[in-house]
Amino acid sequence: MSRYRIPGKGRVDHSAPVSFTFDGKTYRGLRGDSVASALLANGVHLMGRSFKYHRPRGAVSAGSEEPNALIGTSRGAGRFEPNTRATVQELRAGLVTESQNKWPNLSFDVGAINDRAYMLFSAGFYYKTFMWPKSFWDKIYEPVIRGAAGLGKSPTEPDPDHYASRYLHTDVLIVGAGPAGIAAALSAAQSGADVTLVDENPEMGGSLLSDPAVQIDGKPAWDWVEGQLGRLRAAGVRLMTRTTAIGYYHQNMVGLCQRLTDHLDNPPKGAPRERMWRVRAGQVVLAQGALEKPLVFDGNDRPGVMLASAAQTYLHKYGVKVGNNPAVITSHDSAWYAAFDLSDNGAKVAAIIDTRDSVRPDLAEGARKRGIEVLNGHTVTTTKGRLRVKSVRAAPVRGTHVGTGRSIPCDCLLMSGGWTPSLHLFSHTKGSLAWDGASNTFLPDRKTEECEIAGAGRGLWGYEAVLADGAAAGLRALEGLGRAGHEGRFTVANDRPGTGVSHTELPTDGNAGKARAFIDFQNDVTAKDIRLAVREGMRSIEHVKRYTTNGMATDQGKMSNINGLMIAADALGKQPPQVGLTTFRPPYTPTSFGAFCGYLRGETFQLTRKTPIDPWAEANGAVFEPVAQWRRAWYFPKPGEDMHAAVLRECKATRASLGIFDASTLGKIEVAGPDAVEFMNRMYTNPWTKLAPGRCRYGLLLGEDGFIRDDGVIGRLSPDLFHVTTTTGGAARVLTMMEDYLQTEWPELDVWLTSTTEQWATVALNGPNALTMLKPLVEGVNWDDFPHMSCAECTVAGLPARLFRLSFTGEVGFEVNVPARHGLTLWKALMEAGKPYDICPYGTETMHVLRAEKGYIIVGQDTDGTVTPADAGLEWAIGKAKKDFVGKRSLSRPDIVAKGRKQLVGLLTEDGSLLQEGAQIVLDPNQPKPMKMVGHVTSSYQSTMGHPIAMAVIEGGFDKMGETVFIPMPDGVRKAKITSTVFYDPQNERLKA
Amino acid sequence: MLLIHCPYCEDTLPELEFTYAGEAHIARPADPSALSDEEWRDFLFIRTNARGPHYERWRHVGCGRFFNALRDTVSDRFLMTYKAGEARPTLTQEAAE
């Protein structure tokens, strides 16, 4: 047994040793230990180095607020986690841990040179030191600072674990299973209410686990806890341990992160590591207790200096004495009990130093009885010891005078500066806080949610008071649900009530300017830094925080905020509430990205939509690309072909004979009803009244601002039925826009809108042989009256179909729509029938090239939400005789008709090189930088014509036909000539075949 | 996550089922061509940007209907929801509280 473990004591299993490593050395702890308690049991206080000064640090707390003892933990490849709090990580067999922020090792760290250069690294030193010369910032200062900064190492491999998420509805959610939370749960679990009690620790009981001598209703604290938890379980209360309430959101939604496997030696295969719960509660009871504050004095950060309550927890929960010779410095009664308990367990308490001139007689008597020296009205001016505290210097204070001090040898120093109610979750709800001058702390004030705050969380102290408050809060929650119950009463023996006072920095006889009195341990913020920030003009606590980084550590100011505020207020000569408190934001404690992602990662990040023809594409070697949640065949490479070769082959085959393309992802909307044509007239720019059934037309949709939103070919199947197609990505957006106008602007129109995107499989046939090949398969079409831009309901290969004759390639083209379930059958039938014509399946890339050669735009690629029909050369698509349509009025707005708008043109490079899409265009490449950019390349492809083609939007482009523009690229300036966007068959001869 | 009452479904459902659709009670002019450039600009772009109760449009993706809501932009609280086309309700004292 180790030197600091008390045999048989604590809630750890003394018969179950667990071995683990810390910085490569093997240690033995017990089942039930935290990493911190196991190290302390081995006499190890030094657990890390601080962030800025690389000062040696040990655990200062025993809970999730720990700022110092941050470690890396590992369970094999991909399962490394930095910045785990050693006070929270439960021991498991074979756990590998390492300290952080040190090199070459924890005891001797080169970075500690920063500590010697302390005077250089004051608040705001980044802003002051690295100002000049300016050119040094990018190349020297920033890389060096980035290299030196940062907490821990990021894991480098993908996380192999998986994470779960769940929703939960509960009547009452109680956060915190200490005495107040348990009492609240007992009240709430009446009348059949559904109650959930959560706690971040592995065991419920809260502070009672660290105070076993307390008796409730005649039972020792631990027995009482066990009995009440049994009662709650029997009453059907959901008890969740290792579950942190990380955020409190609108309408009583609370996020819970439950840790499931990190404490297990061998997690079950497939078990999720963590589970995120999104809880909607009728009522919430916050019973999160209070966090102890450190005192602020020179050397308060040495390993071995820790919160008194932490020492008490290590003693009672883990059976670990944090030292054999502790000294205590306190301004609150609670630390006296820690001293008594350590003394009663064999430690020789060196002294209790209390800043107050007198304390309660029973405390003084308790110390006398145990032979502990008491120094009332004293301060601590400094501590000594390199890697562990060795002595503390105590000095009497009379008024403002600090008398002669003396050094008191000790092997640990327990401090208590009083307690801060834990109101983080309450603050998430924008509940207001009120300053309580008596206790020098903020207490909950006005509530915005259906919640109750109970116990130490609202400033109460002593178990009897806290239990009664919890019971009352639980009952109020129950009554808030419209249910009734009775309030439990509890009698407490050996209670430990207490009060205290608050301080800024403790008075000292040393040079206050040289004191290393820490407030934010993790960020190395000292009292001096706060006062400097105020001297340099920071007035709001928000500015002080950002200038000094106080409270910005991973503990989010749990320990540092109030001390920082007290000192800033003192420096400003104001009351703390006038200086204000920074806002607490979720999460309450650091939470893994995995827990937030849950199932939404990898293949389940988002759904993948597949067309009915997708299996054929996959079987035939298609390379896929994602398009608006669809996976689409991009190209079909033959053996040995790269993308460029495959696309060129597909393009040429289509232009030469026949290509086949899966266009099923096209958005489809059926617009039906007596007023369908009126509705279409109002929505789209084009005139629809005279479009005969059996004909189709290119439709252009604008926003009310006159900019292009979507386009597609629209067929009129009968007087009251339009088959509208949209872009693949625009389908849902267009339907929503149509619904909006129909529901809210024109509810008088008798029209029905139905999304039919997934009801139809669409196969496009293009090429000079398309008509010849298709004809024999079709029944029900009068070919004598089926020119380009026709549509019909018919059968194709015996399947019921909607046949469109249209072209997005410049060749004779058809789109065959069949019910989705027949899509694959149709595709196979067409492939078979196309054999004599060397039918060539092509993908989206070839579709893009062929349309670009014809200057057909793709909305969202060649347009960007600031392009009007005139800008895109589509004025022909506007029904000028129509009095109104969506966006019409905007087309005559001054900005829209102004000269110099960017217009869509073609580009041909002089040297025959391929331009990059997105590249910026200038008129004069020799002008000084920053150059005036007049537009950018929107589309660029290798074409079937032996040279690349591009489209671009260029200011006043239509008036610049034939002129040369310049595209500066990293490897040189490209020259290009402005042309028409139609590169291929400008007379549309090929469509007339 | 907010809970929002759909006045068509008559059910209070999670925010995930809804999308925001801009300020409410801005009717499209019956004859846009009769509007001056300034009037049309105001219709297109000028919005209240209220601090406090704000009349706005939402869409319930579940049933596909657009409806109106009165939401406090400071507290992010829905004070009421009502069907599209209904008159702008006045904010009652109880609702404001």
Side-chain angles (χ1 to χ4, degrees):
Chain A
M1 192 52 62
S2 63
R3 282 184 297 156
Y4 295 93
R5 184 87 69 180
I6 302 164
K9 189 165 177 66
R11 302 183 67 82
V12 287
D13 184 350
H14 289 260
S15 64
V18 177
S19 82
F20 69 106
T21 69
F22 177 62
D23 280 345
K25 194 174 164 194
T26 301
Y27 293 91
R28 230 169 67 160
L30 298 177
R31 181 73 57 199
D33 260 329
S34 68
V35 171
S37 71
L39 287 172
L40 290 169
N42 285 282
V44 177
H45 274 258
L46 177 64
M47 297 186 197
R49 289 269 175 176
S50 70
F51 173 59
K52 192 157 107 183
Y53 300 129
H54 290 241
R55 284 170 69 94
R57 293 282 167 79
V60 67
S61 76
S64 65
E65 73 271 33
E66 175 61 34
N68 277 346
L70 302 186
I71 54 171
T73 63
S74 178
R75 200 206 284 271
R79 291 192 166 92
F80 176 81
E81 184 182 84
N83 297 325
T84 305
R85 287 141 294 157
T87 51
V88 169
Q89 175 64 51
E90 293 171 64
L91 216 55
R92 60 174 188 244
L95 175 66
V96 176
T97 69
E98 60 178 57
S99 60
Q100 302 185 157
N101 297 339
K102 48 45 156 82
W103 186 85
N105 62 54
L106 195 53
S107 306
F108 176 74
D109 173 22
V110 167
I113 190 75
N114 286 0
D115 195 32
R116 301 279 181 81
Y118 169 57
M119 299 310 278
L120 292 179
F121 288 83
S122 58
F125 82 98
Y126 284 93
Y127 316 117
K128 296 167 188 164
T129 312
F130 303 114
M131 286 294 289
W132 35 254
K134 198 179 164 204
S135 60
F136 271 37
W137 180 255
D138 283 346
K139 296 266 156 38
I140 296 172
Y141 293 145
E142 197 185 350
V144 169
I145 291 169
R146 289 217 180 277
L151 281 173
K153 292 184 299 200
S154 291
T156 53
E157 289 156 276
D159 183 350
D161 282 315
H162 76 271
Y163 298 79
S165 57
R166 289 276 299 271
Y167 286 92
L168 177 68
H169 294 263
T170 190
D171 291 329
V172 183
L173 172 68
I174 298 159
V175 179
I182 291 173
L186 290 167
S187 288
Q190 304 180 63
S191 317
D194 181 278
V195 178
T196 305
L197 175 63
V198 303
D199 196 283
E200 63 175 341
N201 295 294
E203 279 193 295
M204 294 196 165
S207 56
L208 286 170
L209 300 180
S210 305
D211 264 338
V214 170
Q215 295 216 335
I216 305 170
D217 294 340
K219 285 192 190 124
W222 290 3
D223 294 348
W224 182 85
V225 168
E226 202 182 317
Q228 302 313 311
L229 292 178
R231 268 181 68 189
L232 292 174
R233 214 171 276 120
V237 173
R238 207 175 282 106
L239 301 175
M240 296 166 69
T241 54
R242 299 186 179 91
T243 303
T244 306
I246 58 166
Y248 191 159
Y249 307 92
H250 285 292
Q251 286 159 296
N252 272 2
M253 170 160 269
V254 179
L256 307 177
C257 183
Q258 184 179 27
R259 297 179 302 282
L260 298 166
T261 59
D262 272 5
H263 62 288
L264 300 175
D265 294 349
N266 298 298
K269 209 170 162 50
R273 181 176 174 232
E274 293 174 352
R275 179 180 293 130
M276 184 71 87
W277 294 82
R278 290 169 176 84
V279 183
R280 186 75 69 174
Q283 297 276 328
V284 172
V285 179
L286 298 174
Q288 295 180 279
L291 295 170
E292 197 170 23
K293 273 184 298 186
L295 284 165
V296 183
F297 53 90
D298 182 51
N300 64 344
D301 66 324
R302 280 186 213 289
V305 182
M306 69 166 65
L307 295 170
S309 63
Q312 197 176 331
T313 293
Y314 287 119
L315 176 68
H316 292 299
K317 254 172 103 168
Y318 303 106
V320 173
K321 270 184 296 180
V322 295
N324 288 319
N325 191 204
V328 176
I329 169 68
T330 183
S331 66
H332 195 276
D333 297 341
S334 61
W336 289 68
Y337 295 112
F340 296 167
D341 289 357
L342 275 162
S343 173
D344 296 345
N345 282 282
K348 168 102 187 64
V349 178
I352 298 176
I353 306 157
D354 198 309
T355 63
R356 299 168 295 178
D357 290 333
S358 63
V359 294
R360 252 175 27 221
D362 62 298
L363 293 177
E365 173 59 20
R368 196 197 56 74
K369 211 169 64 189
R370 292 174 174 86
I372 302 172
E373 183 182 8
V374 171
L375 299 169
N376 277 322
H378 273 61
T379 182
V380 161
T381 56
T382 190
T383 64
K384 284 207 162 25
R386 194 172 82 86
L387 299 178
R388 170 97 182 250
V389 66
K390 282 186 181 138
S391 71
V392 52
R393 193 161 166 277
V397 181
R398 295 290 170 264
T400 56
H401 176 72
V402 177
T404 312
R406 70 175 166 102
S407 178
I408 300 168
C410 60
D411 65 355
C412 63
L413 175 61
L414 314 184
M415 58 181 166
S416 177
W419 296 78
T420 306
S422 201
L423 290 168
H424 302 69
L425 288 179
F426 179 69
S427 296
H428 296 175
T429 68
K430 287 199 165 184
S432 64
L433 304 176
W435 181 253
D436 182 58
S439 58
N440 270 331
T441 192
F442 285 102
L443 295 179
D445 189 23
R446 195 181 45 79
K447 296 186 288 190
T448 64
E449 296 284 347
E450 297 290 324
C451 75
E452 303 288 338
I453 300 104
R458 61 182 200 94
L460 298 175
W461 205 249
Y463 287 107
E464 195 157 276
V466 161
L467 285 163
D469 196 50
L475 188 63
R476 283 197 302 279
L478 189 65
E479 287 165 355
L481 298 168
R483 295 167 185 260
H486 64 272
E487 191 173 327
R489 292 191 191 288
F490 308 93
T491 54
V492 177
N494 304 336
D495 201 357
R496 292 181 154 185
T499 59
V501 298
S502 269
H503 293 282
T504 60
E505 311 94 313
L506 292 186
T508 179
D509 57 350
N511 180 346
K514 286 194 172 158
R516 317 297 298 278
F518 287 89
I519 298 171
D520 185 321
F521 290 81
Q522 196 179 94
N523 279 354
D524 277 336
V525 180
T526 64
K528 188 195 90 164
D529 293 327
I530 303 273
R531 291 188 183 276
L532 181 68
V534 169
R535 269 207 310 282
E536 294 188 346
M538 308 301 147
R539 291 293 175 270
S540 152
I541 196 68
E542 296 284 358
H543 292 155
V544 171
K545 168 179 170 171
R546 279 152 188 84
Y547 197 60
T548 61
T549 71
N550 191 53
M552 287 164 73
T554 52
D555 74 313
Q556 287 285 293
K558 289 191 184 71
M559 282 195 172
S560 57
N561 267 3
I562 297 295
N563 279 336
L565 173 62
M566 295 293 286
I567 291 167
D570 183 59
L572 286 162
K574 289 183 178 172
Q575 287 299 305
Q578 293 174 283
V579 182
L581 188 64
T582 55
T583 311
F584 292 113
R585 292 192 173 83
Y588 176 70
T589 52
T591 308
S592 69
F593 285 115
F596 284 109
C597 293
Y599 304 114
L600 303 178
R601 58 182 289 194
E603 286 189 348
T604 50
F605 175 65
Q606 63 172 10
L607 70 135
T608 302
R609 303 170 80 185
K610 294 179 185 172
T611 75
I613 295 148
D614 182 272
W616 188 94
E618 182 163 328
N620 285 272
V623 175
F624 292 95
E625 69 165 341
V627 182
Q629 294 190 329
W630 291 96
R631 77 162 195 173
R632 300 194 69 180
W634 194 8
Y635 56 98
F636 293 86
K638 296 215 185 255
E641 274 184 343
D642 61 6
M643 175 169 166
H644 173 61
V647 169
L648 197 63
R649 173 182 50 74
E650 292 171 11
C651 286
K652 285 185 167 164
T654 305
R655 292 244 183 269
S657 175
L658 184 57
I660 183 169
F661 174 65
D662 178 8
S664 302
T665 66
L666 274 180
K668 301 167 208 79
I669 300 167
E670 221 164 83
V671 178
D675 294 323
V677 70
E678 175 62 19
F679 180 76
M680 290 301 295
N681 277 332
R682 295 186 192 186
M683 287 304 302
Y684 279 80
T685 62
N686 323 64
W688 300 97
T689 310
K690 289 182 181 161
L691 182 71
R695 295 287 183 259
C696 42
R697 178 166 285 170
Y698 172 79
L700 191 61
L701 181 72
L702 309 183
E704 207 67 272
D705 52 16
F707 298 126
I708 296 172
R709 288 290 196 281
D710 202 80
D711 68 351
V713 171
I714 295 164
R716 191 173 191 177
L717 293 165
S718 65
D720 58 0
L721 179 61
F722 289 84
H723 178 112
V724 174
T725 66
T726 73
T727 57
T728 293
R733 204 164 48 234
V734 171
L735 180 66
T736 301
M737 181 174 165
M738 287 182 173
E739 281 285 351
D740 190 354
Y741 278 91
L742 185 58
Q743 289 178 30
T744 68
E745 298 291 353
W746 311 316
E748 73 281 4
L749 294 186
D750 192 358
V751 175
W752 291 87
L753 304 171
T754 310
S755 165
T756 55
T757 303
E758 287 172 339
Q759 274 58 45
W760 297 104
T762 308
V763 179
L765 288 168
N766 281 276
N769 285 318
L771 180 61
T772 324
M773 174 269 189
L774 188 64
K775 242 181 188 173
L777 300 176
V778 178
E779 281 181 29
V781 166
N782 174 11
W783 291 103
D784 296 335
D785 185 25
F786 203 72
H788 183 58
M789 299 308 266
S790 296
C791 60
E793 292 188 282
C794 58
T795 66
V796 175
L799 304 166
R802 283 182 181 175
L803 178 64
F804 285 70
R805 180 166 178 182
L806 54 83
S807 176
F808 199 44
T809 59
E811 306 298 334
V812 169
F814 295 90
E815 281 178 8
V816 187
N817 295 275
V818 294
R821 64 182 183 280
H822 298 313
L824 196 52
T825 310
L826 173 74
W827 178 273
K828 287 177 176 167
L830 295 175
M831 284 299 293
E832 188 60 33
K835 270 184 183 164
Y837 308 98
D838 296 325
I839 191 167
C840 174
Y842 66 91
T844 52
E845 189 65 18
T846 290
M847 179 267 282
H848 278 219
V849 174
L850 296 178
R851 67 88 200 176
E853 291 183 346
K854 285 292 292 178
Y856 297 146
I857 65 162
I858 288 188
V859 172
Q861 176 167 343
D862 302 300
T863 71
D864 63 1
T866 66
V867 176
T868 67
D871 298 341
L874 294 172
E875 272 187 306
W876 58 266
I878 290 176
K880 295 193 179 58
K882 288 203 293 183
K883 190 166 159 41
D884 190 18
F885 55 81
V886 173
K888 179 178 167 68
R889 176 63 186 83
S890 287
L891 298 181
S892 57
R893 286 184 60 231
D895 289 347
I896 302 297
V897 297
K899 284 236 172 287
R901 289 191 59 82
K902 287 181 183 170
Q903 293 162 330
L904 190 69
V905 295
L907 282 184
L908 290 173
T909 51
E910 200 169 70
D911 62 355
S913 65
L914 183 69
L915 292 172
Q916 235 177 59
E917 288 174 1
Q920 295 291 324
I921 298 164
V922 301
L923 296 180
D924 171 13
N926 299 315
Q927 62 185 303
K929 292 176 192 167
M931 295 188 189
K932 158 82 176 149
M933 296 175 283
V934 296
H936 69 274
V937 178
T938 61
S939 289
S940 176
Y941 306 96
Q942 297 285 0
S943 76
T944 57
M945 290 163 290
H947 58 78
I949 55 167
M951 288 198 264
V953 287
I954 294 179
E955 285 178 15
F958 294 162
D959 295 332
K960 291 191 168 68
M961 284 299 149
E963 292 180 23
T964 300
V965 291
F966 300 88
I967 300 100
M969 295 301 291
D971 60 348
V973 176
R974 302 276 150 64
K975 272 168 100 170
K977 198 174 74 177
I978 298 182
T979 69
S980 152
T981 53
V982 185
F983 301 95
Y984 182 82
D985 185 25
Q987 301 309 315
N988 289 334
E989 296 297 336
R990 301 182 68 87
L991 291 177
K992 295 168 189 159
Chain B
M1 183 163 42
L2 296 167
L3 294 172
I4 300 173
H5 185 82
C6 172
Y8 293 98
C9 297
E10 296 187 342
D11 205 353
T12 301
L13 298 157
E15 188 184 341
L16 280 176
E17 294 196 22
F18 297 82
T19 52
Y20 180 69
E23 188 169 348
H25 301 293
I26 300 176
R28 187 174 191 273
D31 181 8
S33 66
L35 267 60
S36 69
D37 285 338
E38 288 69 30
E39 288 167 332
W40 184 250
R41 173 202 65 198
D42 289 356
F43 163 72
L44 282 181
F45 303 122
I46 304 303
R47 295 294 180 267
T48 310
N49 198 20
R51 186 179 197 281
H54 184 229
Y55 294 92
E56 57 196 22
R57 294 163 7 103
W58 284 77
R59 176 168 171 262
H60 182 203
V61 180
C63 70
R65 302 297 292 266
F66 287 83
F67 61 89
N68 294 332
L70 183 58
R71 184 180 61 100
D72 189 314
T73 60
V74 176
S75 66
D76 204 11
R77 213 161 269 276
F78 276 80
L79 306 174
M80 62 174 85
T81 58
Y82 52 100
K83 291 178 179 175
E86 288 180 4
R88 180 199 304 254
T90 44
L91 181 57
T92 58
Q93 197 57 37
E94 314 87 87
E97 283 162 7

